[in-house]
Amino acid sequence: MGWTAIDVSLCKLIMLLLALICIQCIHSNPIKVSTEVTSKTLIQMPNIQVDKPDSYKCMAVPVTDLEFSNVVGFRIDVIKEVIHHLSVAFCEDYKTHQTLWDCKSNHGNICSGRSIASGGWDGYSKGHNDTMFPEDIGIHLGKDFKMNYVIIEAHFKQAVPDPGALKGNPANVTLFMTKKSQKYSYQKVILYSSGYIPAFSEDFKAEVSYKWESVPVYVYEYFVHTHNYGQLVEGYIVKNNTKILITMENPKERSHDTVHIEGEPIEIRPGDILAVRCSYRNIAPNKVLFGTGGADEMCNLILTFKYDAKEIDSFPEAIKVSTNAQDKVWCSGDGHDQGGVLCGLQQEADSKTSPENINRLIM
Ligand SMILES: *[C@@H]1O[C@H](CO)[C@@H](O)[C@H](O)[C@H]1NC(C)=O
Ligand SMILES: *[C@@H]1O[C@H](CO)[C@@H](O)[C@H](O)[C@H]1NC(C)=O
Ligand SMILES: *[C@@H]1O[C@H](CO)[C@@H](O)[C@H](O)[C@H]1NC(C)=O
């Protein structure tokens, strides 16, 4: 097998000196780069033959014996001409137990046991910078933390009949590692819709809401996504009967970019409600199903949060919340103590949001 995981330890003294010299530039950098990063682990996807366009290849690398075991960021390099999308996940275990395999049939659902999907690279997104987690966040790898593998999933848009003809291997993932235990761990909550958008709909709304019942966490980043029928996505957190707007945007504007929340992360406490609503226009005579296919629609709000690393057992995997788009949950009044705020929002929106107003709100 051609893959390798190489530990590259850099001289700590040099890092310390650099850290001292660089305190100023680190402070002025909007992304806080931890000065404790002292190691990089490079994982290379080997030159493999890919028979068909639109293929998914997965690769698993054991990470139980790394000297530096806290991931604090990563970098992804791909050959853009062949790879369309690549994602990185950390897992306790995975189903196939192969090193390199075709994973089209179960892509996005590879891990078993504890898992964290940390993000990836997307040909549609604008920023391809290194991803550094905020200063105090780490993903602890190793047996004690039930994180035994890094899984890389590459979506090849092109077939690669002759891997030798490529200018190198198709993808590299570099993990930035530290030895220092970080105060917070990392996880996501994913809100999405099922059901369908009816035919002849000028303005159909899919709503999802979720009452938080776990330990407090801090949201610092979000991602929204729809396909072509999406006109507007609104994301809120409701606390103490007060709504906090996370985002209100035209999903086409930046539908493949994760957005860092300005200022302090937003705390979510037990009893708070997470909510998303997507508005669609489908004037065609056919209904459109929600799903992951290219012809399907999506209503997605993904929040990345940090939480006390001592509470590691609270979030063994991402929280996934799905609501049928035919259910108008924002006004259902069933069990969501604070649903009234969202329902009020509904009436506000019904009376006010003409397309012109939407544009004004987004600007
Ligand atoms: C991955 O890293 C190797 C070794 O540094 C390099 O030769 C190769 O070009 C890299 N591949 C990509 C896609 O950047
Ligand atoms: C990378 O990050 C820097 C600083 O945050 C930003 O100015 C630059 O536009 C980013 N580059 C890309 C390609 O997004
Ligand atoms: C929310 O309400 C509770 C109980 O009424 C109160 O203790 C808390 O301070 C309030 N929080 C905020 C952020 O207003």
Side-chain angles (χ1 to χ4, degrees):
M1 268 300 128
W3 62 264
T4 43
I6 312 164
D7 243 10
V8 190
S9 293
L10 301 177
C11 174
K12 274 191 238 162
L13 183 64
I14 292 176
M15 287 307 288
L16 187 64
L17 287 174
L18 280 179
L20 289 174
I21 295 162
C22 256
I23 289 268
Q24 205 46 48
C25 49
I26 289 164
H27 272 265
S28 57
N29 189 331
I31 301 166
K32 290 180 197 149
V33 178
S34 165
T35 54
E36 298 286 334
V37 177
T38 51
S39 170
K40 292 182 196 172
T41 295
L42 172 65
I43 298 168
Q44 295 179 250
M45 183 166 263
N47 279 50
I48 42 171
Q49 192 171 334
V50 179
D51 297 332
K52 290 188 292 256
D54 197 23
S55 292
Y56 286 80
K57 297 287 179 188
C58 284
M59 175 175 138
V61 179
V63 286
T64 43
D65 295 321
L66 299 178
E67 188 191 351
F68 292 72
S69 58
N70 259 301
V71 181
V72 293
F74 59 89
R75 169 187 180 86
I76 297 172
D77 295 290
V78 304
I79 296 183
K80 295 188 188 63
E81 291 72 28
V82 294
I83 290 190
H84 178 256
H85 180 247
L86 184 140
S87 29
V88 180
F90 301 91
C91 313
E92 180 175 358
D93 203 355
Y94 64 105
K95 288 154 194 159
T96 66
H97 285 258
Q98 288 168 281
T99 310
L100 191 57
W101 70 102
D102 196 299
C103 53
K104 183 156 184 164
S105 57
N106 56 351
H107 78 88
N109 186 25
I110 307 288
C111 293
S112 48
R114 203 168 123 69
S115 67
I116 296 175
S118 65
W121 186 95
D122 190 313
Y124 288 131
S125 73
K126 292 174 205 122
H128 287 140
N129 274 340
D130 297 358
T131 299
M132 297 305 297
F133 304 149
E135 203 158 32
D136 42 10
I137 301 177
I139 298 176
H140 218 142
L141 305 182
K143 284 207 166 57
D144 294 348
F145 300 91
K146 297 184 181 162
M147 280 296 171
N148 300 324
Y149 300 94
V150 175
I151 310 262
I152 294 168
E153 179 194 278
H155 180 186
F156 285 78
K157 59 182 170 188
Q158 302 285 354
V160 185
D162 175 14
L166 292 181
K167 58 187 184 225
N169 66 316
N172 290 339
V173 174
T174 307
L175 302 178
F176 301 120
M177 314 285 284
T178 170
K179 277 185 183 173
K180 186 176 160 247
S181 282
Q182 303 296 98
K183 183 161 187 257
Y184 294 101
S185 192
Y186 170 112
Q187 198 47 284
K188 293 182 193 241
V189 51
I190 301 167
L191 275 58
Y192 65 102
S193 290
S194 59
Y196 62 91
I197 304 167
F200 303 116
S201 304
E202 273 294 340
D203 182 17
F204 178 78
K205 291 180 179 359
E207 300 166 351
V208 185
S209 72
Y210 177 65
K211 183 173 176 185
W212 193 261
E213 273 161 357
S214 195
V215 298
V217 303
Y218 304 87
V219 171
Y220 69 91
E221 195 180 80
Y222 70 87
F223 172 90
V224 299
H225 186 62
T226 73
H227 289 171
N228 291 338
Y229 298 90
Q231 305 291 315
L232 183 72
V233 181
E234 299 158 83
Y236 295 94
I237 296 175
V238 182
K239 294 174 159 292
N240 275 9
N241 284 306
T242 308
K243 56 186 195 276
I244 299 169
L245 179 70
I246 307 170
T247 181
M248 178 173 316
E249 63 187 89
N250 177 335
K252 291 190 190 86
E253 300 290 319
R254 53 178 182 195
S255 57
H256 288 264
D257 287 294
T258 298
V259 182
H260 193 88
I261 291 172
E262 297 287 322
E264 290 298 303
I266 304 173
E267 186 180 24
I268 306 180
R269 302 189 64 83
D272 293 353
I273 290 174
L274 312 184
V276 61
R277 171 169 63 184
C278 302
S279 305
Y280 301 94
R281 184 161 185 267
N282 169 32
I283 50 171
N286 309 309
K287 67 181 181 187
V288 178
L289 296 175
F290 285 94
T292 52
D296 298 333
E297 248 311 338
M298 298 187 86
C299 176
N300 253 2
L301 172 67
I302 302 178
L303 304 173
T304 310
F305 61 81
K306 64 177 188 178
Y307 66 97
D308 191 331
K310 290 199 264 322
E311 302 282 353
I312 199 100
D313 292 330
S314 300
F315 305 104
E317 54 192 5
I319 299 170
K320 293 183 183 145
V321 183
S322 142
T323 302
N324 190 307
Q326 271 55 55
D327 297 338
K328 298 302 162 196
V329 289
W330 278 21
C331 272
S332 67
D334 60 351
H336 285 178
D337 306 336
Q338 305 192 52
V341 179
L342 290 171
C343 193
L345 209 58
Q346 173 100 44
Q347 281 146 8
E348 240 171 76
D350 285 348
S351 57
K352 274 194 217 145
T353 22
S354 65
E356 299 76 53
N357 280 334
I358 289 174
N359 282 333
R360 232 169 280 139
L361 284 167
I362 297 166
M363 287 305 167

